Amino acid sequence: MNLSKNTLKEFDLRHTGCREDILASFQTYSHALSHGDLENLFGERFDRVTIYRTLKTFVEKGIIHKVLDDEGGTKYALCRSTECSHEEHHHDHVHFKCVSCGNTTCLESVHIPKISLPDGYKLSEINMLMQGTCPVCNA
């Protein structure tokens, strides 16, 4: 059984070709992928609604997490934290977008500092996007 099938089984998800292929894409690429990236990758094999529903399910189950983009879009990256679940995501790392190639990657070793909010505010999510040039483009 391949890694995608094992992951789907581990998260109690029914195996479909679309789910397996999309999950394999996240396991193959080291950078975040957008809905449009997946549409381009799979062409006519899966329609846009099926891809959207698969992404939504993967986020809800804690398999992938949302990565906000500086252009207002949303990208998705594989959850590497064992603490992610359908109840809650735990991502206290920053995301880095290369201004040269446009790829956004999770920098798991760079943590977002603890932020204290004024009374009355309740934190639900922090997103930190850093921009610069990635090691590949710097070479």
Side-chain angles (χ1 to χ4, degrees):
M1 190 178 280
N2 69 26
L3 190 56
S4 297
K5 286 183 183 178
N6 284 339
T7 302
L8 292 172
K9 186 175 183 176
E10 177 184 331
F11 283 88
D12 295 321
L13 286 172
R14 189 172 47 88
H15 173 266
T16 67
C18 182
R19 286 178 177 172
E20 184 178 343
D21 289 351
I22 288 177
L23 184 54
S25 298
F26 284 108
Q27 293 167 334
T28 300
Y29 293 96
S30 61
H31 59 272
L33 300 170
S34 68
H35 183 276
D37 293 334
L38 293 167
E39 278 188 288
N40 291 335
L41 192 60
F42 295 112
E44 299 296 317
R45 288 184 37 214
F46 309 118
D47 65 70
R48 64 178 315 166
V49 174
T50 302
I51 293 171
Y52 171 78
R53 287 181 181 153
T54 300
L55 291 171
K56 185 175 186 278
T57 298
F58 284 178
V59 168
E60 289 171 354
K61 287 287 192 175
I63 297 172
I64 61 175
H65 63 279
K66 290 182 180 183
V67 177
L68 298 182
D69 190 44
D70 65 319
E71 296 172 358
T74 301
K75 293 185 178 182
Y76 303 87
L78 202 57
C79 291
R80 305 226 184 260
S81 171
T82 58
E83 298 178 35
C84 288
S85 68
H86 64 277
E87 289 95 17
E88 191 172 4
H89 285 273
H90 295 274
H91 297 282
D92 60 347
H93 63 269
V94 301
H95 298 99
F96 186 92
K97 181 175 181 179
C98 180
V99 295
S100 184
C101 66
N103 289 339
T104 302
T105 56
C106 295
L107 298 180
E108 303 280 347
S109 62
V110 181
H111 296 276
I112 297 173
K114 184 170 172 50
I115 297 172
S116 297
L117 293 173
D119 289 341
Y121 290 89
K122 182 180 177 189
L123 181 67
S124 62
E125 184 177 356
I126 296 177
N127 291 293
M128 184 178 283
L129 178 67
M130 300 174 80
Q131 296 184 52
T133 311
C134 72
V136 173
C137 292
N138 273 330

